[in-house]
């Protein structure tokens, strides 16, 4: 949707955010016979904005969007931590996909429990350098995931290196049958409504690189964005409030905004916990998804990371729809229990604040807009 000319050439950006801008995801559409769409398993080529047939039509009922992850694409930079990025990024992307399906009136159901080996066969993924992450059925009925034959193995980036811990963690959560789709949750009752279309908000969204720390945000914006972001999501969230109308600074356990669980000015602490990144200091509020991951099984761990990414993607859209700005944010794991005052593991942070500049809107698929790089404050 946007491109930047950098020292290494043209850097393309997608519609959804990606931890470190590594974009480790691939997307396929599995279309069975008997619908109005061309049957087959089609790989989405984002540069050409085209669907390329990769395999024969799957057996089953509803067309399915399949998201896979390529660990090396983020692991070369972030090593094993990149495995979490795959799930966070799947969440930010699916936040947009589900919102667009809803706005287009297409029933869409998210599945994160599926037969991994069958889905890998459908897409030509080898479950080491590329592995299935999530499935969304479009239309009524279960997703068509039964392969009628092998798919072409796509060419991955040159000589990817395997991260054995990533392979082991991914394999540990594998299942052999389809589970229930996610409960999408009831529509949120919110104090503020946005008028822009989903397409316009997606085009406007970018990760804000600089926020104005002299200005805060209305409490209604916080309530609205948290309510829509957490619709149907069970992962607990906290909010570190720096500057929100009628709320004292401190840590709150959403949805309780009556009193902070840890009062006090936290800008400097957030700055430190987020690896001295100024966005976490300059935002009006920072949301924190956290859980006791030791209580989760291997599949639930994947789901918790994806749920945190889904919430981050929706917070991001809500912020732009309501005139604010946002960015995903990484953190130092070991600092989070002290920050929250509870012995929990952080999943993901999102900074929401007043933009210090306006980003150029992204172009439609296939016609990206060229933008200049804005770097975060250092
Ligand atoms: C899960 C996630 C974590 C992120 N973490 C950080 C971060 O720690 N610091 C930062 O400056 N940007 C962070 N970002 C923003 C990305 O750098 C940005 O999404 C990516 O470069 C693509 O740009 P865009 O969002 O403007 O399209 C994060 C984004 C996501 C989705």
């Amino acid at each position: 949707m946007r491109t930047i000319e950098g020292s290494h050439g043209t850097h393309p950006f997608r519609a959804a955010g990606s931890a470190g801008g590594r974009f480790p995801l691939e997307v396929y559409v599995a279309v069975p016979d008997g619908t109005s769409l061309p049957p087959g398993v089609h790989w989405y080529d984002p540069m050409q904005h085209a669907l390329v047939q990769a395999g024969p039509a799957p057996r089953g009922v509803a067309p399915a969007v399949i998201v896979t992850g390529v660990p090396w694409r983020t692991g070369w930079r972030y090593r094993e931590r990149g495995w979490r990025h795959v799930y966070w990024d799947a969440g930010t992307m699916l936040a947009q996909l589900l919102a667009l399906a809803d706005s287009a009136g297409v029933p869409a159901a998210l599945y994160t429990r599926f037969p991994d080996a069958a889905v890998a066969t459908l897409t030509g993924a080898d479950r080491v350098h590329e592995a299935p992450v999530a499935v969304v059925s479009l239309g009524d009925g279960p997703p068509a995931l039964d392969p009628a034959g092998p798919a072409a193995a796509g060419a991955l980036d040159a000589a990817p290196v395997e991260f054995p811990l990533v392979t082991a963690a991914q394999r540990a959560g594998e299942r052999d049958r389809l589970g229930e789709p996610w409960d999408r949750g009831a529509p949120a009752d919110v104090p503020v409504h946005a008028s822009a279309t989903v397409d316009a908000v997606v085009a406007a969204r970018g990760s804000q690189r600089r926020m104005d720390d002299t200005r805060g945000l209305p409490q209604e914006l916080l309530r609205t964005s948290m309510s829509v972001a957490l619709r149907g999501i069970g992962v607990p969230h906290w909010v570190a409030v720096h500057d929100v109308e009628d709320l004292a600074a401190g840590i709150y356990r959403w949805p309780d905004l009556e009193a902070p669980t840890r009062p006090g000015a936290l800008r400097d602490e957030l700055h430190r916990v987020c690896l001295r990144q100024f966005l976490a200091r300059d935002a009006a509020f920072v949301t924190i998804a956290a859980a006791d991951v030791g209580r989760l099984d291997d599949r639930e761990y994947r789901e918790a990371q994806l749920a945190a990414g889904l919430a981050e993607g929706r917070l991001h859209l809500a912020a732009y729809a309501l005139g604010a700005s946002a960015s995903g944010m990484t953190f130092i794991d070991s600092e989070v229990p002290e920050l929250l005052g509870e012995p929990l593991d952080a999943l993901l942070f999102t900074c929401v604040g007043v933009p210090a500049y306006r980003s150029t809107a992204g172009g439609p698929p296939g016609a990206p807009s060229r933008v200049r790089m804005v770097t975060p404050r250092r």
Side-chain angles (χ1 to χ4, degrees), residues 1 46 121 136 143 178 194 250 370 376:
M1 306 221 8
T121 302
V136 175
L178 189 69
R370 283 180 66 158

Side-chain angles (χ1 to χ4, degrees), residues 22-90:
R22 297 298 103 211
F23 304 106
L25 306 178
E26 296 290 339
V27 180
Y28 301 80
V29 195
V31 184
D33 284 318
T35 78
S36 57
L37 303 169
V41 176
H42 310 281
W43 168 70
Y44 177 63
D45 179 342
M47 299 305 283
Q48 303 297 325
H49 186 46
L51 290 173
V52 181
Q53 186 163 2
R59 290 182 283 256
V61 181
V65 174
I66 298 169
V67 180
T68 66
V70 178
W72 173 243
R73 229 176 256 159
T74 173
W76 69 262
R77 184 163 173 187
Y78 298 107
R79 299 196 243 174
E80 283 82 1
R81 192 183 178 85
W83 189 58
R84 300 191 207 178
H85 296 191
V86 166
Y87 285 87
W88 294 345
D89 285 11

Side-chain angles (χ1 to χ4, degrees), residues 13 17-19 21 88 92 205-207 209 277 327-330 348:
F13 289 80
S18 164
W88 294 345
T92 65
R205 187 216 66 86
S207 292
R209 304 292 75 199
Q277 298 189 75
S327 176
M329 178 57 45
T330 200
L348 186 56

Side-chain angles (χ1 to χ4, degrees), residues 222-310:
L222 188 160
R223 286 185 184 276
T224 301
S225 37
M226 286 298 282
S227 302
V228 297
L230 297 185
R231 175 179 166 181
I233 287 184
V235 168
H237 276 70
W238 283 256
V239 187
V241 169
H242 294 328
D243 189 351
V244 176
E245 181 192 50
D246 294 333
L247 282 182
I251 301 274
Y252 292 77
R253 167 74 162 83
W254 175 261
D256 184 2
L257 297 180
E258 282 303 309
T261 53
R262 217 196 120 191
L266 293 168
R267 287 194 191 271
D268 289 343
E269 188 169 339
L270 263 291
H271 180 232
R272 185 172 51 77
V273 172
C274 295
L275 295 116
R276 305 207 176 277
Q277 298 189 75
F278 274 93
L279 287 171
R281 215 202 79 133
D282 298 343
F285 63 92
V286 180
T287 71
I288 301 158
D292 180 354
V293 300
R295 299 175 71 93
L296 306 177
D297 71 23
D298 295 307
R299 194 68 171 206
E300 289 167 343
Y301 179 80
R302 290 193 202 177
E303 291 171 334
Q305 300 290 358
L306 190 144
L310 198 54

Side-chain angles (χ1 to χ4, degrees), residues 165-178:
L165 286 175
V166 169
T167 309
Q170 177 75 18
R171 291 269 171 99
E174 290 191 342
R175 297 277 171 116
D176 55 14
R177 69 178 73 110
L178 189 69

